[in-house]
Amino acid sequence: MRLPFELDPQIIHHIIYSQAGSIGKAIIELLMNSVDAKAGTVFLSLSHTGFTCSDDGQGFVSREDVVRYFGRFGTPHDEGDATYGRFRLGRGQIMAHATTVWRSNAWMMTVDTRAMGYHYDLDEIQDAVQGCSISGYWYEALSDAELMSAIQEIRDLVRYTPISVELNGHRIARDPRTEHWDAEDEFAWYRVKADGAVSIYNQGVLVRHDPAHMWGAGGLVVSKKAIALNVSRTEILRKTCPVWKSIASQFGRMADQMASRLGDHRKTEARREKSARALLSCDANIVQIYSREEVVTLLPGKRHVSLEDFLRKCRYSHNKRQDGRFAVVEDAFDVPKGEAIAREGIALIVHPDTLDRFGCYNAQDFVDCIIRINANLRHDVEQNGTHFWGLNSLYVPDLVAFSTLRDAFIERTRIVTEKDALDRETRRAWVALRWCLHHYAALCTGGRLTYGGQVHGGKSLHIFLGESNRAEAWTDGSSYIAIHLTIAQRLKSSPLQTAAYIFTLVEHEISHEGDSLDCGHDEAFYQRFHDLALRHIEQRQRYMHMWLMKYTMSMEGEGKRARGEAWRERYLVDRAGSGRTKRGLAPAIEDVRDDPVVLGVVPDENENIINYQNMLFINAGICPAPTDWADVLVRAQADQNLIVEDLRVASEQRAAELSQAVEDGAAWWAEIEQSEHDEIAAETTARQRFATLFNVPPAEVHVEALYYLMLEDFDDDQLHAMWLEKPWEADDAPPSDDGDFGDYRDENFDPGIECSDGSLTESTAHLSADLQPLIHPGETTWTLERNAAAAGFFRVDDYLKWRSETDV
């Protein structure tokens, strides 16, 4: 026998409450209904206590329209009669947030789900209202933050709606035809950008933001035709909607063109994430992606490399053999320590951004991804015959526990004196340089140039030499900048290149705007570094020339011969300057030999400050003996094996607990079902016994009589006497064991009444006499219990009384 599917009344609760999201989304459903009603303008206002929404659309024409389209959820639209609507479900969302009054033409509908359950009052009004006007009061008043958030959400959601929308007196909808777009076709308007999410508007109403990795670019899409969506309008039916397939094809090409225009010199995070997902999904171009796309980020400095380069570096990096080992920083707070470990060349260190890019929760997940990608590469070569020369060199590097490296890495930082650390000639170049750096640092920290190269204001930072296993330069942000000794020592062999590098280090440290030893490098830092370098590039070159002049003049003062790189550079500048002067042009660079910075005596280092800073380092425990890293790496690999084992045990334990929970649940339900089966069997046996004993049909032994007679082990004479007296109909009748079983019992139990054709229908005779007039014709026990549950009532009699009071 073929039977139709049915909808339980409880589905109304789901439509109203389970699909209800934010207030903004609920309001948008009302706006979309206005568009479907052919409205030209919608006026909307929001306050802390409620809202109003009115339009000039068609509204509800007749009472039949109200009953069919407002009072019934799920009535489908005819093809082409609505822009957004499909099954008339969206209006339910606002009913979860507010009590509402709907006025349309001659009809007024009042809805209060908390007081009225899933019913509405329908009244005819004298003064007709054109279109539809909805007013409501929030069940919980909105705070200032909630109100502003809802207003902003609505502005975002309806940005390109095809009708005029005014919110609190301000027009918030825009006409997409008046804006500039990168492309347009019969399906949509398109705009693409290098990074960020892709905002998708279905005929002007925001549906969702696709993450950038899905496309490898960001952008905006506003469809001209309807995109097929799920019931809650939060997701696109991507596989079945022909409109979306055309839109996706066009935007995909535009995203690829954007990536092509950026070229290999600027690969965005969106492109990196898309490439990582492509490797995991065995993309058709997996070999090229594996070799060329930057999907792994390494420390120090957030260097992006391809997976092929990463695996190569796992064997040899930082001029050291890594023996196929690497570690992953899982917590962003550990990035500074990871940079220090990587800079020392102890192990190859992966930035935590890589985990996010591959959708990994921990470092072991990343290893699993490498295994899957290797398998995908082999599959592509075997199935498609793709040429890949590195197939035989694929391997999975060994993961070592970063926590072990982090705990063993003891920071060693101290400041040294230049007279103890440098030889005479190197010190000559360094002393001249630190004096120029001192003035340049003051300029970069807000100072202003005065006479010559001197600076007024800014921070007076001492420039020191230091030793550290975690940084090439560092600062406390207020009193000094330290440059690593090994860098300064290069001034003897490569003075110009080294000086330029040190100037960059100073700019880098100033860009931290504070203590640089315990902080990483975020996007804000790189922006400051970028701006600082561009802002002071001219003065930087000038101070470089001052250093060159002061350095060479110091050598001239001791009668040294004019030879070496510094002399050649100065001679070249002098020649260019004199040559331009002869032609009536300005010198290539001003003559700074008489500048106070060049002529001034460089003060000696302040050893008191050096000793004080070193004492702070000692107290902080960052001046200890070096660590035996060979031993630490062995322990780190052993610790990682323990981590993997712990993860495996935890996974098996969770699986076992889940399996046990399923088994316990199945056993519990089996016990319940058996108990219900036994109870029904006992009731059936007792009903048949009483019917035979009293010589009546089984249906006449209704529920209350049945359970009253089953309370005790009565003999036949007692049963006959009680059958005649009917004590269960008395007001003081003892309750049944389950409290109120007659009003709320198992839906599978139905004694039934035999009809003339021999079929059974559910009986309502067990309900008390005062409730019988409240039962509508055709209602059965089953429908009453279902409607009571849908309306939020536990007892049928409470539901009937409530319904009689609200039925006007």
Side-chain angles (χ1 to χ4, degrees):
M1 178 172 61
R2 179 173 295 175
L3 298 175
F5 290 107
E6 296 179 355
L7 281 176
D8 192 292
Q10 188 67 17
I11 195 66
I12 298 176
H13 174 87
H14 170 79
I15 290 171
I16 293 178
Y17 282 96
S18 297
Q19 74 162 333
S22 64
I23 285 176
K25 290 288 264 184
I27 294 293
I28 296 312
E29 293 291 341
L30 303 182
L31 297 179
M32 288 192 285
N33 288 343
S34 297
V35 176
D36 290 342
K38 314 301 181 188
T41 305
V42 176
F43 297 95
L44 177 67
S45 67
L46 259 69
S47 68
H48 295 88
T49 56
F51 74 96
T52 61
C53 178
S54 59
D55 64 50
D56 56 359
Q58 297 172 345
F60 296 100
V61 178
S62 64
R63 187 180 191 278
E64 290 71 24
D65 277 355
V66 175
V67 173
R68 182 178 181 186
Y69 301 130
F70 181 84
R72 179 187 299 171
F73 287 98
T75 303
H77 283 273
D78 295 330
E79 183 67 31
D81 74 338
T83 302
Y84 301 107
R86 295 296 177 267
F87 293 99
R88 294 182 170 92
L89 300 175
R91 67 187 180 281
Q93 292 193 30
I94 197 64
M95 299 175 187
H97 296 287
T99 172
T100 53
V101 177
W102 308 59
R103 295 178 178 86
S104 179
N105 294 319
W107 308 101
M108 180 175 74
M109 294 77 77
T110 304
V111 182
D112 186 345
T113 56
R114 296 192 178 183
M116 302 164 58
Y118 305 122
H119 289 72
Y120 67 98
D121 288 338
L122 174 59
D123 298 294
E124 190 170 358
I125 55 179
Q126 297 299 321
D127 298 327
V129 176
Q130 181 184 0
C132 185
S133 176
I134 309 162
S135 59
Y137 291 95
W138 310 123
Y139 286 125
E140 286 93 22
L142 305 182
S143 65
D144 290 340
E146 290 171 332
L147 177 61
M148 297 306 297
S149 176
I151 291 174
Q152 184 57 50
E153 183 180 12
I154 293 170
R155 295 178 68 91
D156 292 338
L157 290 172
V158 299
R159 181 171 297 170
Y160 294 105
T161 47
I163 63 175
S164 173
V165 180
E166 289 191 11
L167 173 59
N168 290 350
H170 300 282
R171 182 169 179 175
I172 60 174
R174 294 193 241 170
D175 187 346
R177 293 171 297 182
T178 64
E179 294 193 5
H180 172 73
W181 299 91
D182 295 333
E184 178 185 352
D185 58 22
E186 61 179 306
F187 299 103
W189 291 277
Y190 308 89
R191 189 176 296 151
V192 66
K193 58 183 181 179
D195 216 337
V198 179
S199 302
I200 302 170
Y201 285 79
N202 178 33
Q203 294 179 291
V205 175
L206 181 65
V207 176
R208 60 171 284 117
H209 299 286
D210 275 354
H213 71 77
M214 294 182 63
W215 302 95
L220 173 65
V221 175
V222 180
S223 76
K224 298 179 179 179
K225 298 183 179 180
I227 301 174
L229 308 174
N230 63 352
V231 173
S232 60
R233 294 175 179 160
T234 57
E235 184 52 86
I236 300 167
L237 304 182
R238 300 174 189 262
K239 294 294 185 182
T240 57
C241 178
V243 173
W244 174 250
K245 289 181 179 179
S246 299
I247 291 174
S249 176
Q250 170 66 21
F251 189 80
R253 287 193 295 270
M254 294 176 64
D256 291 340
Q257 290 169 3
M258 170 63 73
S260 229
R261 287 199 302 271
L262 292 174
D264 291 337
H265 66 283
R266 186 187 169 195
K267 295 182 179 179
T268 63
E269 181 58 31
R271 177 170 172 177
R272 285 189 284 270
E273 191 167 350
K274 180 183 180 183
S275 299
R277 303 301 171 95
L279 288 171
L280 294 173
S281 61
C282 198
D283 187 273
N285 297 318
I286 185 172
V287 172
Q288 289 78 10
I289 296 171
Y290 170 80
S291 301
R292 300 175 185 174
E293 293 298 328
E294 300 170 346
V295 295
V296 179
T297 302
L298 301 177
L299 293 173
K302 293 188 71 171
R303 295 173 296 127
H304 307 297
V305 299
S306 68
L307 188 59
E308 182 180 43
D309 289 338
F310 164 71
L311 295 178
R312 186 182 301 115
K313 288 178 181 296
C314 284
R315 288 188 169 127
Y316 190 84
S317 180
H318 293 84
N319 297 319
K320 295 183 179 180
R321 289 184 57 85
Q322 305 295 347
D323 296 324
R325 293 179 298 203
F326 75 102
V328 179
V329 178
E330 296 183 1
D331 192 328
F333 289 105
D334 288 331
V335 167
K337 185 65 72 72
E339 288 192 322
I341 294 173
R343 194 175 287 110
E344 287 286 294
I346 297 164
L348 194 66
I349 306 297
V350 176
H351 193 281
D353 283 355
T354 305
L355 299 183
D356 297 334
R357 201 171 295 141
F358 282 88
C360 298
Y361 179 72
N362 54 42
Q364 188 58 41
D365 288 348
F366 181 55
V367 174
D368 294 339
C369 287
I370 295 175
I371 295 172
R372 288 168 53 193
I373 293 169
N374 288 350
N376 290 343
L377 285 165
R378 291 189 176 93
H379 174 80
D380 183 69
V381 171
E382 293 170 1
Q383 296 296 320
N384 303 321
T386 307
H387 175 69
F388 179 41
W389 65 269
L391 183 64
N392 295 328
S393 62
L394 292 177
Y395 79 106
V396 179
D398 294 326
L399 176 65
V400 298
F402 176 77
S403 57
T404 305
L405 302 181
R406 178 197 61 207
D407 295 341
F409 185 84
I410 302 174
E411 300 169 0
R412 300 193 315 278
T413 301
R414 71 188 183 102
I415 298 176
V416 299
T417 60
E418 57 192 33
K419 63 183 179 181
D420 295 331
L422 302 176
D423 61 60
R424 184 177 180 181
E425 286 306 315
T426 308
R427 185 183 175 192
R428 183 196 305 275
W430 167 251
V431 168
L433 180 60
R434 71 170 169 85
W435 183 234
C436 294
L437 291 174
H438 171 78
H439 289 84
Y440 182 63
L443 179 66
C444 291
T445 53
R448 58 184 178 84
L449 284 172
T450 58
Y451 174 69
Q454 297 185 96
V455 179
H456 178 72
K459 294 181 180 179
S460 180
L461 298 173
H462 295 274
I463 309 298
F464 292 135
L465 294 175
E467 292 179 331
S468 175
N469 64 347
R470 58 181 302 187
E472 289 184 316
W474 65 95
T475 179
D476 65 352
S478 60
S479 62
Y480 75 92
I481 297 175
I483 307 298
H484 202 288
L485 172 62
T486 56
I487 296 176
Q489 288 172 339
R490 297 204 297 262
L491 285 169
K492 186 174 183 178
S493 58
S494 304
L496 290 175
Q497 296 91 326
T498 303
Y501 187 71
I502 293 176
F503 267 93
T504 302
L505 288 178
V506 169
E507 294 167 347
H508 177 279
E509 295 307 311
I510 291 173
S511 299
H512 278 292
E513 294 187 342
D515 192 331
S516 64
L517 281 176
D518 294 317
C519 64
H521 303 88
D522 56 10
E523 294 300 325
F525 163 81
Y526 285 114
Q527 186 63 49
R528 291 195 300 268
F529 186 29
H530 169 273
D531 295 344
L532 185 70
L534 289 182
R535 186 183 309 122
H536 299 293
I537 190 168
E538 294 182 6
Q539 292 302 322
R540 167 181 167 152
Q541 184 59 40
R542 187 168 184 272
Y543 277 104
M544 276 280 294
H545 187 57
M546 286 186 185
W547 164 76
L548 187 64
M549 185 63 66
K550 191 173 186 65
Y551 175 37
T552 54
M553 287 177 65
S554 173
M555 290 189 288
E556 287 175 339
E558 293 188 4
K560 292 187 173 294
R561 294 176 56 190
R563 63 181 183 182
E565 185 178 351
W567 284 104
R568 288 195 296 273
E569 182 72 16
R570 177 181 166 183
Y571 176 67
L572 179 62
V573 172
D574 289 342
R575 283 193 61 190
S578 59
R580 288 174 56 86
T581 303
K582 291 178 181 179
R583 290 168 175 77
L585 302 174
I589 189 169
E590 65 178 292
D591 188 354
V592 296
R593 70 185 68 206
D594 296 327
D595 191 281
V597 174
V598 176
L599 296 178
V601 177
V602 181
D604 293 334
E605 287 182 314
N606 191 326
E607 295 192 13
N608 291 329
I609 296 179
I610 293 176
N611 294 333
Y612 174 73
Q613 291 296 333
N614 284 333
M615 182 184 68
L616 294 180
F617 292 148
I618 292 172
N619 293 338
I622 55 177
C623 284
T627 303
D628 182 1
W629 286 109
D631 178 65
V632 171
L633 286 169
V634 173
R635 285 193 287 112
Q637 194 151 5
D639 290 345
Q640 182 61 37
N641 293 336
L642 293 176
I643 293 173
V644 173
E645 181 62 20
D646 290 343
L647 290 173
R648 184 189 64 79
V649 171
S651 177
E652 292 178 353
Q653 184 176 352
R654 287 193 297 269
E657 291 173 353
L658 178 61
S659 177
Q660 186 62 45
V662 171
E663 291 180 6
D664 293 345
W668 184 80
W669 280 111
E671 183 179 346
I672 294 295
E673 291 174 0
Q674 184 61 43
S675 175
E676 292 176 347
H677 180 271
D678 294 343
E679 186 176 344
I680 292 173
E683 293 170 4
T684 303
T685 301
R687 185 184 297 278
Q688 188 61 47
R689 176 194 169 203
F690 297 150
T692 302
L693 183 62
F694 305 143
N695 195 24
V696 296
E700 291 191 16
V701 185
H702 56 79
V703 171
E704 290 186 5
L706 176 66
Y707 278 90
Y708 193 94
L709 298 174
M710 290 177 64
L711 283 175
E712 301 287 346
D713 188 14
F714 300 113
D715 59 28
D716 290 353
D717 292 338
Q718 291 173 316
L719 290 172
H720 271 290
M722 283 188 287
W723 180 254
L724 295 174
E725 295 175 2
K726 300 189 179 334
W728 50 83
E729 294 181 355
D731 290 339
D732 57 348
S736 57
D737 286 344
D738 60 348
D740 225 341
F741 190 81
D743 285 340
Y744 193 83
R745 66 187 191 284
D746 192 290
E747 66 182 44
N748 295 321
F749 173 69
D750 177 25
I753 296 178
E754 186 174 359
C755 300
S756 58
D757 61 356
S759 62
L760 293 177
T761 183
E762 296 101 335
S763 170
T764 58
H766 64 281
L767 296 175
S768 60
D770 62 329
L771 296 178
Q772 293 296 331
L774 307 180
I775 302 173
H776 295 167
E779 286 190 319
T780 65
T781 299
W782 183 84
T783 58
L784 286 174
E785 290 177 349
R786 286 294 187 185
N787 289 341
F793 291 94
F794 184 77
R795 292 163 49 92
V796 172
D797 54 352
D798 292 336
Y799 165 71
L800 287 172
K801 293 175 182 177
W802 169 80
R803 189 176 69 176
S804 68
E805 295 170 356
T806 57
D807 284 344
V808 179

